[in-house]
Amino acid sequence: MNGTEVARARVLGELIAASHLMTLEQLPGTVASHARRAGWPHVLIYLADLRQERLCLLAGNVELSPGGVDVPSELAVEGTVAGRAFQLGRISPASASTTGQWWVPLLDGTERLGVLRVGMPGAQVEADDDLERLAGLVALLLESKRGTSDLYSRLVRRRKMKVAAEMEWRLMPPRTFATDRILISAVMEPAYQVSGDAFDYALSGETLHLSVFDAMGHDTAAGLTANLALAAARVHRCQGSDLLQTAEGVGAALTEQFAGSRYATSLMADLHLPTGVLTWTNYGHHPPVVIRGNRTVVHLSCPPAPPLGTGLGVRGALRRDQLEPGDRLLFYTDGITEARNKEGQEFGLDGLTDFLIRHHADGLPVPETLRRLVEHHLAYHHGRLNDDATVMLLEWHGPNPYQPAQLKALTGLPPTIAADTIASAWVQQPTDGGTT
């Protein structure tokens, strides 16, 4: 390494050391001061709001107006260079006339948090791998601090949130997740009023667990039902229960708590990553569909059992389907397909799948496709949804890992991340379920 690289590595290490007792409020100023010593002047952190429409400045204790330069407190995701960097995961110069000011995506894994602004008019800053490493470290620090600070929630929320929605978002996993063979992305609306929907996923060795719940009602009790269902599913899953045992455990928990007065529909599934075998069960929910070859919609079917919590004692059925490499598996709740516009027209399953197929052809990252789906869906219904609407989309690459370039394009990882950096995190797994 040359002298600059050594100095930057030292500064990044010092920033990690300084972070242990740091609060979120102290993060912007601490990052800016350390970055300045490494040749990155005036670093600012912008975080995406809950619905990913605006980028909001995390001010903290950082200097905001060097040399009298105005710093906007908010930026639109649509129609700005900063928003473009967020949408596509690309490091972008602030203008075509200068390379001294850059917008850098902030990603926790593949979860989009916002963007980093590095430099200011007249600065001399080049975009390089070290700049991406700075953004990656800042994203990790943000993730470690936001759970213990109300500042984060106040900043990224643009309207009053219902109690049920507060419970839901606290329980949800990240909206985007990827490994060498799968990509998952999910959205949930109306973001500030969601009450009865929930999605979940988790890895256990070579098996990916997936579930979607849709609790009856649109009130706080619906949120309690969805939260209880999700928590019960996680408890039984972590105890080694299979799909039907987990579903029975969820049903028992709901029946014990609500005595049959509250229930939730659900899809639960296990995907075996080496083979693409999908095992799933249906409790009163819309069945999943597969988008194959970005043109064909395959409707999966399984005899549905009654919703969980009804106490009817009907055992669910198991269905096994074989996914093909590149298949996109779609879970959704009826709020996305059955909501009607003012003319009484449903958005419909065809509208949902057509939108996903068209935007996949545009080459957009999957998280950005779902963000645009939400915008389109809200516009279709004139900004008002009468039911929760959840979409969870999974792409299975096949038994072999993605090529790094493929994964970067799908998730919006910045192109400056080298292919060997991604590949070094992957350990080639046998495709026959054996051990190495």
Side-chain angles (χ1 to χ4, degrees):
M1 291 193 298
N2 59 36
T4 299
E5 291 171 336
V6 170
R8 287 179 173 178
R10 183 184 303 112
V11 165
L12 294 178
E14 291 171 354
L15 182 56
I16 294 174
S19 71
H20 296 296
L21 300 178
M22 187 193 307
T23 67
L24 184 66
E25 289 81 355
Q26 295 169 327
L27 180 61
T30 306
V31 167
S33 64
H34 281 73
R36 190 181 303 113
R37 292 194 286 108
W40 294 306
H42 202 56
V43 173
L44 297 176
I45 301 169
Y46 283 82
L47 302 177
D49 73 313
L50 184 60
R51 292 182 57 190
Q52 300 183 338
E53 297 172 327
R54 309 288 295 180
L55 296 167
C56 309
L57 177 66
L58 180 63
N61 56 349
V62 70
E63 180 188 1
L64 294 180
S65 300
V69 177
D70 290 334
V71 173
S73 60
E74 289 186 4
L75 295 162
V77 169
E78 296 289 344
T80 66
V81 177
R84 192 76 172 163
F86 174 79
Q87 292 177 63
L88 302 183
R90 297 175 183 169
I91 296 178
S92 302
S95 70
S97 61
T98 178
T99 58
Q101 186 176 340
W102 299 91
W103 292 105
V104 189
L106 284 171
L107 294 162
D108 176 39
T110 53
E111 174 78 348
R112 304 188 298 180
L113 301 180
V115 292
L116 204 66
R117 199 195 80 173
V118 181
M120 61 183 127
Q124 297 298 317
V125 181
E126 297 296 330
D128 54 26
D129 290 348
D130 285 341
L131 195 58
E132 174 56 36
R133 294 185 183 104
L134 172 66
L137 177 56
V138 172
L140 290 174
L141 296 180
L142 280 168
E143 179 62 25
S144 71
K145 303 301 178 184
R146 65 177 177 172
T148 56
S149 173
D150 284 344
L151 173 64
Y152 193 97
S153 296
R154 293 195 189 104
L155 185 65
V156 302
R157 296 179 187 180
R158 302 185 58 81
R159 64 191 68 175
K160 185 177 179 180
M161 181 172 283
K162 288 175 56 176
V163 172
E166 177 75 34
M167 292 190 294
E168 296 292 287
W169 286 114
R170 293 287 183 179
L171 202 60
M172 293 301 100
R175 284 179 282 187
T176 304
F177 174 77
T179 70
D180 58 344
R181 282 178 285 192
I182 56 157
L183 166 66
I184 302 170
S185 195
V187 290
M188 195 164 61
E189 284 288 336
Y192 297 93
Q193 297 177 312
V194 65
S195 53
D197 279 9
F199 65 88
D200 197 23
Y201 60 84
L203 278 167
S204 178
E206 294 184 325
T207 298
L208 175 70
H209 305 290
L210 302 159
S211 57
V212 170
F213 298 94
D214 185 357
M216 66 167 288
H218 311 291
D219 52 10
T220 303
L224 291 169
T225 304
N227 273 254
L228 179 57
L230 185 53
R234 287 175 174 173
V235 165
H236 286 275
R237 194 179 69 215
C238 291
Q239 291 173 346
S241 300
D242 60 26
L243 285 175
L244 295 183
Q245 291 170 337
T246 298
E248 289 174 355
V250 173
L254 294 179
T255 301
E256 178 183 358
Q257 181 64 38
F258 300 112
S261 64
R262 289 278 172 174
Y263 59 82
T265 67
S266 178
L267 288 177
M268 297 185 191
D270 288 340
L271 176 63
H272 187 236
L273 299 184
T275 63
V277 173
L278 179 74
T279 306
W280 61 285
T281 186
N282 184 356
Y283 288 81
H285 202 85
H286 290 284
V289 297
V290 172
I291 300 175
R292 179 162 292 161
N294 200 40
R295 60 183 181 274
T296 303
V297 178
V298 180
H299 297 267
L300 305 184
S301 63
C302 175
L308 299 168
T310 55
L312 297 177
V314 179
R315 188 175 176 83
L318 280 181
R319 172 67 188 262
R320 287 182 174 85
D321 289 284
Q322 177 65 56
L323 297 187
E324 297 181 5
D327 276 354
R328 291 189 167 188
L329 178 67
L330 177 64
F331 286 12
Y332 63 96
T333 62
D334 55 13
I336 196 79
T337 54
E338 296 180 2
R340 299 175 182 270
N341 61 14
K342 289 183 178 180
E343 290 72 39
Q345 297 172 316
E346 283 189 351
F347 187 63
L349 180 57
D350 288 343
L352 173 59
T353 54
D354 287 349
F355 184 96
L356 295 174
I357 289 171
R358 289 198 316 273
H359 282 72
H360 176 67
D362 292 339
L364 292 172
V366 173
E368 179 60 19
T369 295
L370 291 190
R371 190 190 73 85
R372 296 187 185 194
L373 170 66
V374 167
E375 286 190 339
H376 175 79
H377 190 59
L378 289 170
Y380 184 86
H381 300 295
H382 304 282
R384 296 184 63 86
L385 297 178
N386 295 321
D387 194 6
D388 298 340
T390 298
V391 174
M392 183 165 65
L393 184 66
L394 174 141
E395 177 171 312
W396 180 64
H397 184 257
N400 298 313
Y402 287 102
Q403 292 297 314
Q406 289 177 300
L407 192 60
K408 286 190 286 186
L410 284 168
T411 60
L413 288 171
T416 54
I417 297 180
D420 57 356
T421 301
I422 298 177
S424 67
W426 297 346
V427 177
Q428 180 67 41
Q429 299 291 334
T431 58
D432 60 0
T435 57
T436 55

